[in-house]
């Protein structure tokens, strides 16, 4: 059986790593990279650090408006799917690369499996919500990470195509955590348990200058160092709005590679983020997270007390991140690290609608 994985953006490389490992020796696995992310530290570093085979094809699409970027990917991917004729196209998460891969395949009547299906923020302003809803309704096999996701898919009439496999990001985190937590901190001049790790990259947080300024003000007044791992979108928008990122408690760092990120979070006092994956990584490492969004797809992190949503009043951030550490939990809402194997099982058994 031949499976074509389509990826393009940073979080997809993390999800691809355990899938590529689980596929080895079981099926023929091809990788198409759309080129949505292209900086070394947003792309190549993940393939190297996580031992992912080099992509069989890279379309080099790069950045652009949603329509331009998605259209370029669709055109390129159609050719890749025609050339490779896979038994399954496997798409990941919720980026423009996910949507383009899905459209290319369904139009050619090639079965599509969606890994990380069924997540919902119910916020249709988010490009990710648009991408994941459209993908779920077009795909033939929905590989859900959580019971919550299965519930959403069931309510949307998609239960027959759904398989609960667990969360593949948990697979990779558990594996990498073992390897890195005894290594030196990847961030200089910081002491374990004293600093926060912050990331901000969602359009809703970066594109409005007033909101971005308010977030930065809030971060700058936090007691103790805040290391802001600056996504290129954040740097570009801050420069355009004339906003200084390094102020008060905040020091700016380049985005980290995955093992370095896991190490930095594991030794931090807390995480402040608008990323999806990082909320869950913080939870799995039992580090408190403060999420700069009105809602989250990873509701279990909030229900278990390890994640707090903050969508306004960012001047309160110093107080909010100083809250007591949540009650210990041994809950495993994201599985036990065998999701990629389960996903390959589902592809092999061919449970398509
Ligand atoms: C994309 C995903 C988002 C995911 C994020 C992870 C969509 C709609 N969004 O958002 O869900 O959380 O990836 O990072 O697909 N840029 C570079 N170098 C790069 C990549 C991007 O400089 O390697 C800059 C460009 O200025 C670009 C901007 O970042 O215009 C945004 O990149 P883009 O891929 O459009 O969206 P992300 O914000 O990264």
């Amino acid at each position: 059986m031949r499976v074509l994985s389509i990826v393009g953006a940073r979080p997809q490389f993390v999800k691809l790593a355990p899938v590529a490992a689980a596929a080895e020796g079981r099926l023929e696995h091809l990788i198409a990279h759309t080129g949505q992310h292209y900086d070394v530290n947003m792309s190549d570093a993940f393939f190297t650090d996580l031992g992912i085979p080099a992509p069989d094809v890279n379309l080099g699409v790069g950045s652009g408006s949603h329509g331009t970027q998605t259209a370029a990917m669709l055109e390129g991917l159609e050719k890749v799917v025609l050339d490779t004729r896979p038994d399954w196209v496997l798409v990941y998460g919720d980026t423009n690369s996910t949507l383009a891969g899905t459209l290319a395949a369904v139009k050619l009547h090639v079965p599509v499996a969606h890994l990380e299906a069924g997540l919902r923020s119910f916020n249709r302003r988010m490009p990710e919500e648009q991408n994941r809803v459209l993908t779920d309704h077009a795909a033939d096999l929905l590989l859900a990470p959580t019971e919550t996701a299965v519930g959403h898919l069931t309510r949307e009439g998609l239960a027959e195509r759904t398989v609960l496999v667990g969360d593949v990001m948990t697979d990779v985190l558990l594996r990498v955590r073992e390897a890195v937590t005894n290594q030196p901190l990847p961030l200089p001049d910081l002491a374990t348990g004293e600093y926060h790790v912050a990331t901000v990259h969602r359009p809703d947080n970066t594109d409005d200058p007033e909101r971005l300024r308010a977030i930065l003000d809030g971060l700058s007044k936090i007691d103790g160092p805040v290391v802001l791992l600056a996504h290129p979108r954040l740097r570009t928008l801050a420069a355009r709005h004339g906003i200084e990122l390094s102020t008060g408690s905040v020091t700016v760092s380049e985005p980290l590679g995955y093992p370095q990120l896991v190490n930095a979070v594991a030794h931090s006092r807390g995480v402040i983020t608008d990323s999806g994956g990082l909320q869950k990584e913080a939870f799995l490492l039992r580090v408190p997270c403060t999420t700069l969004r009105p809602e989250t797809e990873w509701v279990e992190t909030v229900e278990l007390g390890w994640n707090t949503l903050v969508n306004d009043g960012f001047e309160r951030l110093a107080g909010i991140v100083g809250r007591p550490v949540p009650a210990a939990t041994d809950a495993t809402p994201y599985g036990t690290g065998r999701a990629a194997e389960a996903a390959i099982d589902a592809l092999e058994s061919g449970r398509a609608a």
Side-chain angles (χ1 to χ4, degrees):
M1 187 169 78
R2 180 180 295 157
V3 175
L4 172 66
S5 278
I6 295 178
V7 293
R10 183 171 57 173
Q12 293 170 327
F13 311 139
V14 179
K15 293 165 199 168
L16 172 63
V19 172
E24 212 176 304
R26 288 185 65 179
L27 45 81
E28 186 188 356
H29 185 220
L30 303 175
I31 299 171
H33 187 324
T34 62
Q36 177 171 352
H37 286 175
Y38 43 86
D39 290 353
V40 169
N41 62 9
M42 297 290 286
S43 176
D44 299 13
F46 288 80
F47 284 82
T48 312
D49 289 347
L50 296 175
I52 307 169
D56 297 277
V57 51
N58 188 327
L59 299 175
V61 161
S63 304
S65 67
H66 286 282
T68 307
Q69 187 183 55
T70 311
M73 292 174 188
L74 180 56
E75 189 176 355
L77 289 170
E78 179 173 64
K79 188 167 179 324
V80 175
V81 175
L82 279 172
D83 287 348
T84 56
R85 278 284 154 197
D87 299 295
W88 283 104
V89 161
L90 180 58
V91 295
Y92 299 70
D94 54 21
T95 74
N96 290 343
S97 300
T98 315
L99 180 61
T102 303
L103 283 177
V106 295
K107 296 281 182 179
L108 294 168
H109 307 143
V110 172
V112 177
H114 182 205
L115 191 81
E116 209 180 71
L119 293 186
R120 294 291 181 268
S121 66
F122 302 101
N123 176 355
R124 290 287 178 112
R125 280 183 53 83
M126 291 176 67
E128 294 83 1
E129 182 77 353
Q130 300 156 357
N131 290 338
R132 60 171 91 97
V133 169
L134 291 166
T135 297
D136 282 340
H137 283 261
D140 303 279
L141 176 62
L142 302 172
L143 303 168
T146 60
E147 295 280 3
T148 307
V150 172
H152 294 146
L153 294 167
T154 302
R155 277 187 287 284
E156 292 174 28
L158 301 172
E160 284 193 0
R161 303 183 212 172
T162 300
V163 181
L164 176 64
V165 293
D167 172 47
V168 294
M169 289 181 101
T170 299
D171 298 12
V172 65
L173 183 117
L174 297 181
R175 176 160 64 83
V176 168
R177 181 181 63 182
E178 297 306 314
V180 298
T181 38
N182 291 329
Q183 297 200 349
L185 268 184
L187 303 161
D189 306 327
L190 292 172
T192 293
E194 288 186 356
Y195 62 92
H196 281 88
V197 171
T199 76
V200 180
H201 79 278
R202 297 262 168 214
D204 268 357
N205 284 336
T206 54
D207 296 7
D208 170 9
E210 260 182 54
R211 185 172 170 95
L212 182 57
R213 198 166 277 120
I215 291 173
L216 257 299
D217 276 351
L219 292 176
S220 72
K221 298 198 174 83
I222 286 173
D223 192 19
V226 176
V227 184
L228 178 60
L229 305 174
H231 184 290
R233 170 191 278 282
L234 174 65
R235 283 191 194 270
T236 309
L237 272 295
R240 188 177 305 159
H241 304 325
I243 296 173
E244 179 54 58
L245 294 177
S246 291
T247 54
S249 303
V250 178
T251 51
V252 176
S253 159
E254 286 296 317
L256 294 175
Y258 187 76
Q260 293 80 13
L261 176 83
V262 171
N263 192 359
V265 170
H267 293 104
S268 72
R269 199 173 124 203
V271 165
I272 307 159
T273 190
D274 59 7
S275 148
L278 201 44
Q279 296 170 47
K280 206 174 28 175
E281 283 147 6
F283 168 73
L284 294 168
L285 294 165
R286 296 300 188 269
V287 168
C289 183
T290 303
T291 296
L292 307 174
R293 285 183 48 197
E295 72 283 301
T296 178
E297 299 79 15
W298 304 107
V299 290
E300 301 81 5
T301 58
V302 175
E303 289 160 4
L304 291 164
W306 285 81
N307 191 5
T308 299
L309 305 178
V310 180
N311 191 43
D312 51 26
F314 297 112
E315 68 283 353
R316 298 174 295 139
L317 271 178
I320 291 169
V321 302
R323 66 192 184 273
V325 175
T329 174
D330 54 11
T332 55
Y334 303 117
T336 53
R338 298 192 46 81
E341 301 278 351
I344 299 291
D345 289 347
L347 291 175
E348 281 194 325
S349 67
R351 258 203 58 185

